[in-house]
Amino acid sequence: MEAQNAARTLGKAHLSHLPQRPPINLGFQDLSYTVSNGKTSKLILRGINGEFRSGQLTAILGPSGAGKSTLLNILAGYRVNGASGFITTNGEPRDLRLFRKLSRYIMQDDLLQPLITVQESLTMAADLKLGNDMNKERKTIIVEEIIHLLRLSKARNTSSELLSGGERKRLSIALELLNNPPVIFLDEPTTGLDDVASSTCVSLLKRVARGGRTVICSLHTPSARIFSVFDHVYVVADGRCAYQGTAAGVIPFLKEINLPCPTTYNPADFIIEVSSGEYGSHIDQMVAAVDNGKCQRWRSYAMEEDNEDLEIEELNTGVVERHNYKYESTPFQQFYVLLRRMILQTIRNRDYLWLRIGLHVFLGAIVGALFNDMGYDASKTIFNFGFCYACIIAMLYTTMMPVLLAYPTEVLLVKREYFNRWYGLKPYYAALVVSRTPPTIFFSLIYLAIAYPLTSQPMEFSRVLIFVTTCILVALISESMGTLISSTLSVVNSMFVGPVVAVPLMLLAVYGIGSGDEAPPLIWRLARYCSFMRYGLEGLIMAVYGPPRDDLICPVDEDYCEYKNVKYFVKLMGMSDVSITVVFIMLFVSLLVMNLGAYYLLRQRLSPNYAFRAIKVIGRFIKTKMSLTL
Ligand code: ADP
Ligand code: MG
């Protein structure tokens, strides 16, 4: 009770801080949604209609699998392909781009930034979402209010992956409520919450709605008390609309179709049971009674029941179009906040950091031991070439594999935050690259600090510098390649594609070796120059054997050392005309191209352009054809 009172008073205070925004009434007509998986296509939503009004708290109810989440996905614009019908905002056809800027979607499964505490998450979200106009004190007040409102005070210093299910859900809601968007979609916000928390959450949502927002949530068996809080109830049964109207209208409605709700029964449970066909097939009858959502005959009940505190603000409809909803914070601020978040996550992931340090030491020691003292040994020149090649491969795998494994999961989170317009993709990508570069350099240095001296490579400063820089560049390119591959693929597919793509790059790096100046055919030469690993290898060979280097030392117990003369060896490897400047230029170009590619694919993943959507459709078409012929 006390918490509820606190929430109530704070709720008022909280809303008073927030920017005023125009109301949006959301309507949809004849909305259908089809999924096709290979041979069959399935109609999930069947020509449903409805209207969700600003200032009201709407519940979408229905048995599991009825299509509630699908409806929310389409209304929120999260899923576009496969849907048909009309969606309107304030009576006008909806402009999806604009609508996306005005709405927020809190999905059923909570994806939260790992290793960040509740308070930090909220503070960072406030920095991203409340923008630069608001000063720090005010942001702190808002964050505090939201923490109290959603009863997260006890968990404020708990890292998000240690939160309980209910706390995770409340945190997800809190994060999106921060900037009070005009339209809020929530998929099952009360699932996993205890009764008190659910009703606090629902009364908070009602208060938000009363502030002139459109709040739409799908619900899974609400209690009678929570059910009665809703202004508007929309029941989905088997992809159609079985009821639309007030919560209080449910009982008279069911009575009319000869299904009186027992007095001791929760009307919400009852209508869900009826619409899942538990009392016989009444769905068609219900759908017909509301004309698949076209009519809201039970609207009149709303007026009688629920006008206690209808303090809806002046509804100045029509101004939406003129608002330019840009990001609240500047790209530089976004970059700064994201960078801070990424660095915190890197530093807090202690076990992983130590593991990586350990593995690089191990790898350095193994490679160092395998090629021990071969750097000046004229009888082992070929082996030393192997050492350079091993370094390139070590750089490739140690940086690319962790990205392939971790990034597909991160993309899902980014997709959600990006969808809810926390930040732009450019600041995000910049922060990603900047936060990853120092650790990659650090780990490469650990490996090199062990392997390079153990193998007795030349210790001249310029040679060390070229060797180290080349290795670091290869590592950075490999890391971006990992991002490029995993930005559009799942973990399993990335783990397969990554190493497979690496093989031709590795082979091309050594293609034509041993044939001396006799150049391979043009096509292979061109292909070879597309492999950044080739430049990496050339860089390392130049670092170690580039002129001017004296002849290597032939051990006394050897009769003859063929590759004693370094110049001869380099020529044999087909690298006599390599220029270190060109190598560096090409490595930088590769780094740039790889990052641009990764950025482009990430952008297409998050908001695909027409070409990309076309490719997807064609892909699906081919898959369907293939599975039909099989
Ligand atoms: P709920 O009302 O429980 O949220 P959903 O909207 O998630 O239901 O799903 C509605 C129905 O559509 C379910 O039967 C589900 O299995 C099916 N469905 C959803 N997405 C797909 C898909 N991509 N392919 C096939 N069936 C799907
Ligand atoms: Mg669902």
Side-chain angles (χ1 to χ4, degrees), residues 69 108 187-188:
S69 305
Q108 190 168 359
D187 198 1
E188 307 211 356

Side-chain angles (χ1 to χ4, degrees), residues 373-410:
D373 279 347
M374 290 179 183
Y376 57 81
D377 188 334
S379 66
K380 299 272 170 33
T381 319
I382 294 270
F383 288 83
N384 205 41
F385 179 84
F387 164 73
C388 294
Y389 194 47
C391 286
I392 295 288
I393 293 180
M395 290 300 124
L396 172 80
Y397 276 93
T398 51
T399 51
M400 184 181 72
M401 295 313 266
V403 176
L404 292 181
L405 204 55
Y407 201 65
T409 324
E410 196 180 322

Side-chain angles (χ1 to χ4, degrees), residues 35 37 42 44 63-71 79 108 187-188:
V35 283
N37 43 355
K42 191 168 151 192
I44 294 176
S64 175
K68 303 181 294 292
S69 305
T70 311
L71 180 59
R79 198 162 282 166
Q108 190 168 359
D187 198 1
E188 307 211 356

Side-chain angles (χ1 to χ4, degrees), residues 237-259:
D238 200 16
R240 289 176 295 170
C241 172
Y243 174 78
Q244 181 169 215
T246 59
V250 165
I251 295 172
F253 173 74
L254 291 172
K255 207 175 191 171
E256 192 176 87
I257 56 168
N258 291 326
L259 278 170

Side-chain angles (χ1 to χ4, degrees), residues 79-301:
R79 198 162 282 166
V80 187
N81 292 337
S84 66
F86 297 101
I87 301 177
T88 56
T89 49
N90 295 335
E92 304 279 328
R94 175 174 79 167
D95 174 352
L96 186 62
R97 285 175 71 102
L98 185 74
F99 184 75
R100 287 265 315 266
K101 296 178 186 176
L102 301 168
S103 65
R104 298 291 176 269
Y105 187 14
I106 299 159
M107 291 183 210
Q108 190 168 359
D109 47 335
D110 309 298
L111 292 180
L112 295 166
Q113 287 293 339
L115 301 161
I116 300 284
T117 68
V118 170
Q119 171 117 33
E120 284 165 348
S121 304
L122 280 164
T123 311
M124 287 177 190
D127 284 337
L128 286 171
K129 301 169 90 179
L130 297 176
N132 26 357
D133 305 340
M134 202 177 277
N135 61 29
K136 219 176 164 64
E137 288 73 44
R138 201 146 165 202
K139 281 182 191 163
T140 315
I141 293 172
I142 293 179
V143 167
E144 279 309 306
E145 283 171 353
I146 294 245
I147 285 181
H148 284 291
L149 202 58
L150 288 163
R151 308 198 313 132
L152 285 165
S153 340
K154 267 195 236 157
R156 76 166 66 224
N157 293 319
T158 310
S159 163
S160 57
E161 68 269 358
L162 301 176
L163 293 175
S164 75
E167 285 164 342
R168 289 174 73 86
K169 176 55 78 184
R170 275 178 278 157
L171 178 57
S172 311
I173 298 178
L175 289 172
E176 293 307 336
L177 277 187
L178 266 177
N179 57 344
N180 199 23
V183 184
I184 308 168
F185 298 97
L186 302 106
D187 198 1
E188 307 211 356
T190 58
T191 305
L193 267 65
D194 61 66
D195 206 40
V196 179
S198 312
S199 53
T200 320
C201 170
V202 171
S203 33
L204 160 78
L205 292 175
K206 178 140 173 175
R207 191 160 292 285
V208 173
R210 282 290 182 269
R213 318 283 160 246
T214 314
V215 184
I216 303 160
C217 37
S218 75
L219 282 190
H220 167 74
T221 57
S223 72
R225 189 159 63 117
I226 290 176
F227 182 66
S228 66
V229 175
F230 283 88
D231 301 303
H232 187 79
V233 175
Y234 190 92
V235 179
V236 185
D238 200 16
R240 289 176 295 170
C241 172
Y243 174 78
Q244 181 169 215
T246 59
V250 165
I251 295 172
F253 173 74
L254 291 172
K255 207 175 191 171
E256 192 176 87
I257 56 168
N258 291 326
L259 278 170
C261 174
T263 45
T264 52
Y265 227 76
N266 171 4
D269 288 346
F270 191 64
I271 196 162
I272 291 172
E273 283 165 15
V274 172
S275 52
S276 60
E278 217 163 279
Y279 302 97
S281 43
H282 295 284
I283 302 178
D284 290 339
Q285 211 180 339
M286 291 164 80
V287 172
V290 291
D291 201 5
N292 207 0
K294 275 196 195 112
C295 70
Q296 298 191 24
R297 297 187 311 151
W298 310 98
R299 197 113 200 210
S300 51
Y301 291 96

